[in-house]
Amino acid sequence: MNYHLTHLKELESESIFIFREVAAQFENPVLMFSGGKDSILMTHLAMKAFYPAKIPFPLLHVDTGHNFPETMEFRDKLIERLGVRLIVGSVQEAIDTGLVQEEKGFNASRNSLQIAALLEALESNKFDAAMGGARRDEEKARAKERFFSHRDEFGQWNPKNQRPELWNIFNGNKNMGEHFRVFPISNWTELDVWQYILMEGIELPSLYYSHKRKCFKRDGVILAATDVIQLKPTETAEEMTVRFRTIGDMTCTGATLSEADTLEKIVQEVATTRVTERGGRSDDKRSETAMEDRKKKGYF
Amino acid sequence: MQEGITLEEYKKMDLLRFTTAGSVDDGKSTLIGRLLYDSKSIFEDQYSAIEATSKRRGEEEVNLALLTDGLKAEREQGITIDVAYRYFSTPKRKFIIADTPGHIQYTRNMVTGASTANLALILIDARNGIVEQTRRHSFIASLLQIPHIVICINKMDLVDYSEEAYNKIKEEFSGFASKLDINDIHFVPISALKGDNVVDESDKMDWYKGSTLMYLLENVHIGSDHNLIDCRFPVQHVIRPYSDEFHDYRGYAGRVAGGAFKVGDEVMLLPSGFNTKIKQIDTFEGPIKTAFPPMSVTMQLEDDLDLSRGDMIVRQNNVPEVSQDIELMVCWFNDRPMRQRGKYVLKHTTQDAMCVIKEVRYKMNINTLHRMEEDKNIGMNDIARVVIRTTKPLFFDNYRRNRITGSIILIDEATNETVGAGMII
């Protein structure tokens, strides 16, 4: 008998442990769902953690109103298959009620407006733990994130005063009004995620596979030409063969030129690529510490 | 990243977690940068970002330390504040590095990084030999029972790749290590800056017959790092589907903390002491025959007995200690010193309890390894032997025997902060 787990099985086991720990330590947890592969992986792992019971918490989608239609369609099907409740936090509503103001100009994005809509949704639903699919390999500020990350009553992160996290003992104790962000797939890398998706045959939105789409280039990033982005006079949209490595808001998610139309080809492409997946995210390019700044305010 | 790894190879890879420790200038960041760079784990946009920052600051070479220093304050002050996790893989293994700061005031981060590590990588500057921090880090590695230690004697290029310099440090360290509880020590002479013996063999140190650092990392045997002898299953969560299909289903979910559980095994439940048998071990993929660490599974038992989170499933002929009076080595993490006779919240496996600090036996001088029996003021970064009494019995093992059932954390009731980490003696 070989008492040995592969690294993917060990990562899976660690994530399942975290999901169960959240269910046990918190009263009203929620899984933040963006429609991207990481949050799809999260639902897959959560399903495994509680089988044969259903996932014992709802999914929260902060909808910028600028999501790809493919994302929304996929989301609704997934919800039905899992039999879980979906809660939508709407950025459009936050704009309409004056909670936030829409950015103006060519690079206008609703990305940072998500923070207010997210915090509002967490507060009004009294969620005490919000699980997110952030990974430590994604970005330098995320490399310092805990599995159980404490947020004060304003939903803010204080990176200099984080609780030490030892062994596999997680301290979710908190005062009234505070909440936790929990990151069950902290230790996964992009390649781990893809290998696991391939191994498990997890279904993904078509956006991840190579397809033809009208796109244009801005600051070296390929963006989808849609009615939510205003083209500059110098920019022209043309048909390209692309796929998306991450999926977020249509205004800030860059595509890559790719012929990879199967999971095998995607894994091969990810394994040989020389640019990080967030390299295509214009929201991270705003400054050197853009992610840390957003995280402190409550971004996930 | 790594090209040409097939899915089949990927399915055979395993996972090694290691911590890196070193003083401020002994080249830790350079070494990590080298491991990431030579294993092709640094991406172009990451590299060009730190290249641009280095240039803007007027630094001559690309400062690989910027890869690991992520927070604004860290970049401003040029120091590492917090544990940073880094990832790379080779066709053999995936690696998780817990990169911990070398400053005195951040010892708590070293302990944190060490708690989950299979291996500790300790750097020594070949010119300076063993310094106070080397002793401190080695002590923490032994206290936290990291199974494997690799001593990298770095900057060999600055001592003319001298075998004598290497041997001198090796001997000195071996003498010091004999006072510690370390099972497996390796020494490698390297130059992180020039790449000697990091990934590629050095052509300047023919006298060294050992393997490169990367070879060691890829091949060190981690199969027996888990306890496979003493069966321990802390119940984490009870699964009750309440569905038509699984009407009477009652499963005990958890992660195996020790030993191998098999279907049909006679088991004992703690604290009740009831005996029963394992009926089925469930996973999403279907029932399995054997569960071992660190697998997350769900167990069904033959009898319908009262069992909930914090309880433990063990074997009748091999039970953990059950007691309310516990001796610990404690590392203190908080600005507010430990209160003698003070009450703290305690977490142990999936169990919560309260405890009172009954007695501080001694404080450790972690540089000299002397016991200071007179000094009982335990403040930030201190390590001490203490006796606690818990409000209810814990089921535990000696930390040396099992790092999962032998560890606890202490929480301040007023602030909810994790203030201490304890290893049961």
Side-chain angles (χ1 to χ4, degrees), chain A residues 3 17 23 26 39 58 63 72-73 80 119 126 151 158 164-165 186 208 277:
Chain A
Y3 298 112
F17 181 83
F26 296 93
S39 57
D63 182 6
M72 304 303 277
E73 198 185 308
E80 205 185 306
L119 292 178
K126 297 201 164 40
R151 297 301 144 110
N158 181 358
E165 210 160 68
S186 289
Y208 281 110
E277 55 185 338

Side-chain angles (χ1 to χ4, degrees), chain A residues 162-228:
Chain A
Q162 299 195 79
R163 293 179 186 176
E165 210 160 68
L166 295 104
W167 300 292
N168 52 356
I169 311 178
F170 296 97
N171 174 4
N173 295 15
K174 61 181 179 344
N175 290 320
M176 284 287 286
E178 299 174 345
H179 76 274
F180 270 79
R181 298 291 171 86
V182 181
F183 303 104
I185 59 165
S186 289
N187 277 331
W188 297 59
T189 62
E190 185 190 13
L191 191 56
D192 295 330
V193 172
W194 280 112
Q195 290 279 2
Y196 186 81
I197 287 170
L198 174 60
M199 193 172 84
E200 298 276 305
I202 299 172
E203 204 184 320
L204 292 180
S206 55
L207 295 160
Y208 281 110
Y209 297 89
S210 174
H211 58 282
K212 289 196 178 3
R213 178 180 290 270
K214 281 232 184 274
C215 294
F216 69 99
K217 269 193 173 182
R218 179 177 292 173
D219 301 331
V221 178
I222 301 170
L223 292 168
T226 64
D227 48 14
V228 298

